[in-house]
Structure formats: C-alpha cells, structure tokens
Amino acid sequence: MQFNDVLDNLKIYEAGKPIELVVRDYGIEAKDVIKLASNENPRGCSQKVIEAVCHEASKMNLYPDDSMYELKEALAKQYSVKDENIIIGAGSDEVISFAVHAKANEKSAVLMAGITFAMYEIYARQTGARILKTPSAQHNLDEFLAMYQANPDVSVIFLCLPNNPLGECLDTKDVYAFLDKISPETLVIVDGAYQEYAAFKDVAKKIVPSDLIEKYPNTIYLGTFSKAYGLGGMRCGYGIAEPEIIKSLLKLRAPFNITNLTLKAAIVALSDQTFVQNSLKENFEQMKVYEIFAKELGFDFIASYTNFITLEFDKSKNSSQIAQKLMEKGIIVRNLGSYGMNAIRVTIGTPEQNSRFFELFKTIYK
Ligand SMILES: *Cc1c(COP(=O)(O)O)cnc(C)c1O
C-alpha cells in the first residue's frame, strides 16, 4: 500500500530500552536492572501523588474533565499566567506535535540545533517541512541567526533549554537577545523539559514563562511532569503561550487526551514542591560524583544542567560496545552513536544506582 510521501524519510523513534527487555534477553531479575536511559526521576514521585491517584482510581468509568480546569488553575498559579495561556498534552511531546503541525508545512523549514531532541525532526518531517540543523552539535545562537536569515522560509525554531541529549544550556539573556531578531511570524518553541534542573543549578539559565511570552508573543514555553516531577508514566506536559497561539493548537487536540488519573497526579505533584527540591538537590550532588569519576578515568563529559550526563570517549573506546556491555550486566544507558557521537548519556540515578554504575563501568572500561 502506498502511504504519504513524507513518511518515506521518517524513522520510527527509538525509545529508551525498557527493563522488561533486559529481563527477557539477558535473564537478569527485574529488581537487579537499573534504567538510566530515559531521564526519569530515580526517586520516583511524591508519595502524595501515589495516594491521590489510588483514591481517584474509582472514577475510571467517567471521562475526565475535558476543560482540565483544575490543572490549568494550578499551572496558572504556579507560573503567574491565565488559563487561556495554557494547553495540556499527553506529555509535552504531544504539545510539540500540535505546535509543529499548526505552523510547519511542505513550503517551510524548521530550524534546530545540530544534536537535539529527536522528536523535533520527526514531527517536522510529518508535515513535509525542510529540516535545518546548525553545524554545531550544541546550541550556538550565531549559527541559528545566520541560518534563520539565510532561509526566509523558516516557520518554526526549536530551542531546547537545557538541551537533550547533550545537557548544555544557553543563558536566558542570550536567548532574549536572539529572540529580539526573530520575526513575530516565526514560532519559537522553548522546550523547558529540564528547566527545573537548570534554574536550580544556575539562575542565569532560568526561563520565566510569563516574562518570555509577554516579551516575545511568538514563543511557546513547554514544560513536563515526566522529569523533575517523576511522572513519566502518567504522560502529562503543557505549553504556555499567548491565547492566540493556544487557540490554534487546541484545534489539533483530541477530546479527553489526558486521563483522570493523570490530571489528579499532575495537580498533586505541583503542590508538593518539597519533593521536587529534594530531587534537584540530590541530582546535582550525584552529578558531581559522576564528574569526579570521569576525571579519574580520564574521559570527557559535557557540563550538564539536567538530570543526565553525557560521557564522551576517545577513539580507543566504542560507546555502542560500552552501552551493550552495561546492558548485558543490567544497567541500561543511552548510546549516542546514532547521533554520530562516541558517547553515552547516563541519567543520574540514586546514590546506590550510581555506585553500581561506577563499579560496573570501571570493569568494562579497562
Ligand atoms: C523528556 C523530554 C520531553 C517530553 O517528554 P514527555 O514525557 O512527552 O513530556 C520534551 N523535550 C525534551 C527535550 C525531553 O527530554
């Protein structure tokens, strides 16, 4: 059967390998498998969320509140914006998809960093848009500007702040200086999936969504409950933008795209900021241990503003072999070979998980 041409150059997204796969393929017990591959919160989520979701389970027969009034109120309060500035998606992934489909098409181009979140390209290709990537892997705003000015058909720009899978993050003042030069007709998607981490480590990286969208009404800020809030399995993310943008994106949303349990989980998660702060604190304490470990063993890493660290190897080592050997022993990490890098991305785990990683890694790396 012939499908739409745009699908011909589209690869299916390869998600982080699940624990079940390692159990099946290598005969390791599930409790002994450590997943450091998808940037989930290793501390789980707030206990308050678990209790609230259990309680909410009795309402499964009912469709959710499609207005998502309560969660929008909670987000509006958290970010000092109005309900009409908010769209909620099944993960911020869904909001990325809405934004790209609302704005990009076969006559336009989508601009992004050389190495960045793989879904940007996939959603953009679905629309038939041309893909433009900067020569540098990490975000370089001079290159973004040069390519933007050389390609008047750019309709969407992605800024991943901080960037996944590399971990670097631009300073907000530099982002603003860049946005000053962008046409109000170009949609700029500011992906803040790891903003909680970046803002905790260095306030110079902090993006305040209300300030961003007031100064630059052509931007949309994206946040997610999947990382710092520890709700990856619940699938909830959000976009914050001017009502004009939100209204257009809402036209692409299916009714009831968020479940009752997810709405409840997100509302309660927002109310427990202590859980988030503790996660952030432990994350960066453990990040330091990774940095010291890398220096001791003599390989490079990228200074990270997220909950993962990218470890880079010289030619004497092969990242795909390292990732494979780790997996055979029960530790799942992300090999970045498919990005043309000799590197692995490791999610910062709990202190116990990280100790096991260091021990195993040492025996493999020698
Ligand atoms: C994890 C992630 C997301 C979104 O994840 P969802 O689970 O769909 O909310 C978006 N952007 C980046 C860069 C991410 O790493």
Side-chain angles (χ1 to χ4, degrees), residues 183-198:
S183 155
E185 271 307 307
T186 308
L187 179 65
V188 182
I189 302 177
V190 174
D191 188 342
Y194 303 93
Q195 258 295 313
E196 291 87 356
Y197 296 92

Side-chain angles (χ1 to χ4, degrees), residues 38-39 89-94 96 116-118 120 123 160-165 191-194 222-227 231-232 235-238 308 345:
S38 297
N39 307 337
S92 59
D93 246 286
E94 193 179 33
I96 300 172
T116 191
F117 192 46
Y120 303 160
Y123 294 127
C160 193
L161 307 174
N163 189 20
N164 177 13
D191 188 342
Y194 303 93
L222 303 182
T224 179
F225 287 95
S226 298
K227 310 285 161 57
L231 298 180
R235 313 303 306 125
C236 193
Y238 49 91
F308 60 82
R345 189 194 69 191

Side-chain angles (χ1 to χ4, degrees), residues 19 22-24 26-34 330 356:
I19 290 174
V22 178
V23 172
R24 271 198 313 272
Y26 305 105
I28 301 171
E29 279 189 63
K31 67 169 176 49
D32 294 327
V33 180
I34 299 177
R356 262 191 65 196

Side-chain angles (χ1 to χ4, degrees), residues 129-264:
R130 277 192 312 132
I131 310 295
L132 296 172
K133 292 185 181 176
T134 60
S136 295
Q138 299 185 18
H139 286 66
N140 175 318
L141 288 173
D142 292 333
E143 291 176 7
F144 267 85
L145 191 61
M147 290 184 81
Y148 178 70
Q149 288 170 343
N151 293 277
D153 60 343
V154 170
S155 58
V156 176
I157 301 174
F158 275 103
L159 297 177
C160 193
L161 307 174
N163 189 20
N164 177 13
L166 301 183
E168 95 279 5
C169 192
L170 295 169
D171 281 0
T172 304
K173 67 167 175 25
D174 298 333
V175 173
Y176 279 15
F178 170 75
L179 292 173
D180 280 332
K181 301 180 192 100
I182 302 304
S183 155
E185 271 307 307
T186 308
L187 179 65
V188 182
I189 302 177
V190 174
D191 188 342
Y194 303 93
Q195 258 295 313
E196 291 87 356
Y197 296 92
F200 182 91
K201 182 171 175 177
D202 182 354
V203 285
K205 316 289 184 187
K206 180 175 178 158
I207 306 263
V208 177
S210 56
D211 189 55
L212 174 76
I213 67 171
E214 191 195 73
K215 286 199 174 75
Y216 305 101
N218 59 320
T219 62
I220 179 166
Y221 174 89
L222 303 182
T224 179
F225 287 95
S226 298
K227 310 285 161 57
Y229 288 92
L231 298 180
M234 293 305 276
R235 313 303 306 125
C236 193
Y238 49 91
I240 299 176
E242 283 303 318
E244 189 204 354
I245 295 178
I246 298 294
K247 273 188 212 143
S248 295
L249 269 52
L250 282 172
K251 293 178 183 173
L252 294 163
R253 184 182 73 88
F256 310 121
N257 61 327
I258 309 298
T259 75
N260 290 335
L261 301 189
T262 298
L263 288 169
K264 184 51 107 185

Side-chain angles (χ1 to χ4, degrees), residues 303-351:
S304 171
Y305 293 85
T306 66
N307 64 346
F308 60 82
I309 187 161
T310 297
L311 309 176
E312 295 183 291
F313 309 116
D314 64 27
K315 288 196 201 79
S316 71
K317 306 283 192 247
N318 179 316
S319 67
S320 108
Q321 278 173 13
I322 291 175
Q324 177 63 29
K325 283 186 184 155
L326 285 167
M327 184 160 70
E328 288 167 11
K329 299 282 185 211
I331 299 186
I332 316 171
V333 301
R334 189 84 167 171
N335 172 33
L336 299 185
S338 61
Y339 292 87
M341 292 181 76
N342 189 20
I344 59 171
R345 189 194 69 191
V346 185
T347 304
I348 308 297
T350 62

